[in-house]
Amino acid sequence: MKKKLKIYLPFAANELKRQMAYKGAFYLFIFISLFGSFIQYFLWMAIYGSSSSATLGGLTREEMVIYIFMVYVTNSIVMITISDWVSDDVVKGTVAMNLIKPIDYRMSLVVRAAGQVVYRFFAPAVFIWIGLEVYKVKVLHMPVTGITHILLYVASCIMSFLICVLFDFCFGMVAFFTTYIFGMLMAKEALMSFLTGQLIPLSFFPGAVQRVFEFLPFASMIYTPVMIYLGKYVGNELAFVLLRQAAWVIILYLLGSWIWQQVTKRLVVLGG
């Protein structure tokens, strides 16, 4: 274990340094994302204001405020895109170097993504999270989130992160066949913002559609941890959604291993 940490931790450290070196681009990304969250906030407040019901999709107005900004926090620390890293390695041919090194290529990508998570958590996710808790207590007059819900949320986020990067690794394997996947990345981001519950909580969909969406891996990336944070899952249902997340981690890991074996059989690298 100590040997593996010594091998893979530099990938996380280097990614952390890279993020700090390009702070301008990163904070511009934060501003744009946060601006989008405020647009959603005013849109949903208008919807609740024009509705005769105090609860929509199983969420009160106050819970929707928490949902919107916890989606932003969760998205910041969970949704790390590694498929473009794979594509870049394929285009440059540097993926060949990873095949001759005594490392697991996928593990190096996951650890590198973890380095980005650390940076995103401290800049600015944790500050927005704290600010949201203060707003929740002082303005919305809701009780502070209990330590149990916070720990369950963190555990769920860890599995969400693994689901996200393992799925993105599988998606990145498309680059071995098409080389450039920029257009597909844009389409994937748009689709995932819908399926993960970033744009609309999945509880707003009809029951049958909601059940289908919840069993896909995408719901486990954003929707599940946020709903755990809101206390919407309790007892057996809570255990079930956590087990479902763990199951998707295993499924995507095995799927990624199989796809990696298949693509490396057909890999041809010219030059050197």
Side-chain angles (χ1 to χ4, degrees):
M1 184 66 180
K2 185 177 180 181
K3 183 179 179 181
K4 284 189 176 293
L5 287 174
K6 187 176 180 181
I7 293 172
Y8 292 107
L9 277 181
F11 288 98
N14 289 337
E15 181 61 25
L16 185 58
K17 291 175 183 177
R18 191 183 74 84
Q19 291 292 322
M20 295 176 68
Y22 297 97
K23 292 188 288 291
F26 179 74
Y27 286 116
L28 180 61
F29 166 76
I30 290 173
F31 173 76
I32 294 172
S33 301
L34 194 56
F35 183 72
S37 296
F38 277 105
I39 291 176
Q40 280 193 295
Y41 167 79
F42 288 113
L43 176 62
W44 281 109
M45 291 306 98
I47 292 172
Y48 274 88
S50 62
S51 174
S52 57
S53 176
T55 303
L56 298 175
L59 298 172
T60 64
R61 178 197 293 261
E62 291 77 15
E63 288 173 334
M64 179 58 77
V65 174
I66 305 302
Y67 182 91
I68 291 169
F69 290 100
M70 283 308 297
V71 162
Y72 173 81
V73 171
T74 308
N75 178 67
S76 297
I77 59 179
V78 166
M79 301 294 284
I80 309 297
T81 302
I82 67 172
S83 51
D84 56 343
W85 298 346
V86 176
S87 177
D88 192 50
D89 284 342
V90 171
V91 171
K92 295 179 179 178
T94 52
V95 69
M97 296 299 297
N98 292 286
L99 293 175
I100 63 175
K101 291 178 180 178
I103 63 170
D104 184 312
Y105 179 58
R106 176 173 55 183
M107 179 61 71
S108 68
L109 292 174
V110 172
V111 175
R112 181 182 170 187
Q116 192 171 135
V117 168
V118 172
Y119 186 76
R120 287 189 177 191
F121 178 75
F122 288 104
V126 69
F127 299 106
I128 294 174
W129 188 358
I130 293 171
L132 181 61
E133 278 297 315
V134 173
Y135 182 82
K136 177 183 177 182
V137 175
K138 296 293 185 180
V139 180
L140 301 180
H141 306 295
M142 298 172 69
V144 67
T145 306
I147 187 66
T148 301
H149 281 113
I150 292 176
L151 292 176
L152 288 169
Y153 168 76
V154 171
S156 180
C157 279
I158 291 171
M159 288 190 285
S160 297
F161 165 73
L162 292 173
I163 292 169
C164 178
V165 294
L166 291 173
F167 169 79
D168 219 43
F169 177 80
C170 295
F171 181 82
M173 293 298 101
V174 176
F176 283 86
F177 301 92
T178 62
T179 306
Y180 293 102
I181 61 172
F182 180 77
M184 297 179 68
L185 277 172
M186 296 298 101
K188 184 205 72 170
E189 293 297 327
L191 186 61
M192 286 182 65
S193 65
F194 181 74
L195 295 176
T196 58
Q198 292 182 56
L199 294 179
I200 305 173
L202 301 185
S203 58
F204 276 73
F205 291 95
V209 177
Q210 182 182 339
R211 285 191 289 273
V212 172
F213 282 179
E214 286 183 345
F215 270 93
L216 294 175
F218 311 108
S220 293
M221 297 177 184
I222 298 291
Y223 181 75
T224 295
V226 174
M227 294 300 275
I228 288 175
Y229 188 80
L230 285 170
K232 294 298 182 178
Y233 295 129
V234 295
N236 293 334
E237 189 177 15
L238 174 60
F240 177 74
V241 296
L242 290 172
L243 286 172
R244 185 169 63 198
Q245 283 188 297
W248 274 117
V249 171
I250 296 170
I251 292 170
L252 290 171
Y253 178 84
L254 295 174
L255 179 62
S257 298
W258 180 79
I259 296 175
W260 178 246
Q261 290 176 357
Q262 300 306 309
V263 298
T264 50
K265 289 179 182 178
R266 67 180 299 279
L267 176 64
V268 177
V269 179
L270 302 177

